């Protein structure tokens, strides 16, 4: 049995959950989700503590951390990844990074497109077949995304742009994050999936 803290800040949702992982599957012991694209830094720690309280556990009970590594906007994404890395370091437990879109796609069946908000009138997207990613992740304008899937999941306001039957979930879940982690292998260094350069650019030195 493994008790896992799962966090994700790659979308407007701030997700934190405590999940018990066994050979039979996963059980969500506590989960807090706050949808606020401007409150990742303010809400993540309270959500983590709330999920632990709901589970009746403390930090010392955690065996591992799973964090969504995007794709997502630079500012929000780094909040979750830095926090997960800090928990892993402080507790001396492994930290597994996963694709945030996979944590949505794993709960779908059939040929499904998953999309989230990339801003700039674009979407992050990936394609899934029975919960397994077969294309992406990538970032494009909606008109440039292959939309010949049978359904769409993810951000509701962006899913409607594709004229496909909508599916849930709309954001990464604690259960989904834990189920897509590669538990059979040691965790690799966390690498954010920005898919494009951050808006902020360093100033060039004057001659």
């Amino acid at each position: 049995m493994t008790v896992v803290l799962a966090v994700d800040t790659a979308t407007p949702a701030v997700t934190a959950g405590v999940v018990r992982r066994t050979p039979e599957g996963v059980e969500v012991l506590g989960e807090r989700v706050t949808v606020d694209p401007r409150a990742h830094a303010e809400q993540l720690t309270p959500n983590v503590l709330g999920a632990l309280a709901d589970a009746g556990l403390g930090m010392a009970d955690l065996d591992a951390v799973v964090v969504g590594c995007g794709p997502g906007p630079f500012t929000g994404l780094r909040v979750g990844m830095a926090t997960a890395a800090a928990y892993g370091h402080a507790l001396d437990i492994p930290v597994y990074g996963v694709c945030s879109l996979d944590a949505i796609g794993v709960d779908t069946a059939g040929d499904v497109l998953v999309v989230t908000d990339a801003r700039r009138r674009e979407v992050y997207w990936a394609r899934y077949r029975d919960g397994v990613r077969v294309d992406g992740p990538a970032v494009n304008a909606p008109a440039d995304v292959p939309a010949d899937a049978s359904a769409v999941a993810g951000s509701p306001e962006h899913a409607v742009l594709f004229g496909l039957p909508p599916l849930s979930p709309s954001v990464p879940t604690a259960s989904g994050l834990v189920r897509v982690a590669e538990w059979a292998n040691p965790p690799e260094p966390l690498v954010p999936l920005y898919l494009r350069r951050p808006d902020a650019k360093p100033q060039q030195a004057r001659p």
Side-chain angles (χ1 to χ4, degrees):
M1 181 185 72
T2 306
V3 177
V4 184
L5 172 66
V7 298
D8 189 281
T9 55
T11 74
V14 184
T15 298
V18 178
V19 179
R20 179 185 288 123
R21 179 178 172 270
T22 68
E24 290 73 35
V26 300
E27 177 188 2
V28 178
L29 305 178
E31 185 171 20
R32 299 288 182 95
V33 181
T34 304
V35 180
D36 187 339
R38 300 181 183 275
H40 292 99
E42 294 81 4
Q43 286 295 330
L44 183 55
T45 296
N47 283 6
V48 168
L49 297 177
L52 282 166
D54 292 343
L57 299 173
M59 288 288 183
D61 297 308
L62 297 174
D63 300 306
V65 181
V66 174
V67 59
C69 294
F74 178 81
T75 302
L77 189 56
R78 67 181 178 178
V79 169
M81 295 184 67
T83 300
Y87 284 138
H89 178 74
L91 300 170
D92 194 24
I93 57 178
V95 181
Y96 291 82
V98 302
C99 173
S100 300
L101 294 174
D102 290 355
I104 300 175
V106 71
D107 283 317
T108 64
D111 193 0
V112 178
L113 176 68
V114 174
V115 296
T116 58
D117 183 13
R119 303 176 183 174
R120 304 184 193 174
R121 299 182 180 180
E122 293 180 326
V123 295
Y124 298 116
W125 65 273
R127 188 81 166 264
Y128 296 83
R129 185 167 297 117
D130 293 330
V132 178
R133 175 155 41 98
V134 294
D135 195 8
V139 58
N140 293 99
D144 297 326
V145 176
D148 55 341
S150 58
V152 61
S155 168
E157 62 184 286
H158 298 86
V160 299
L161 302 174
F162 295 91
L164 297 170
L167 299 176
S168 57
S170 59
V171 300
T173 65
S175 171
L177 289 162
V178 172
R179 282 183 289 134
V180 298
E182 296 186 5
W183 296 102
N185 302 315
E188 297 184 356
L190 299 179
V191 178
L193 293 169
Y194 294 131
L195 301 187
R196 63 187 179 203
R197 296 182 180 180
D199 293 331
K201 296 182 176 62
Q203 293 183 345
Q204 295 185 355
R206 296 180 179 179

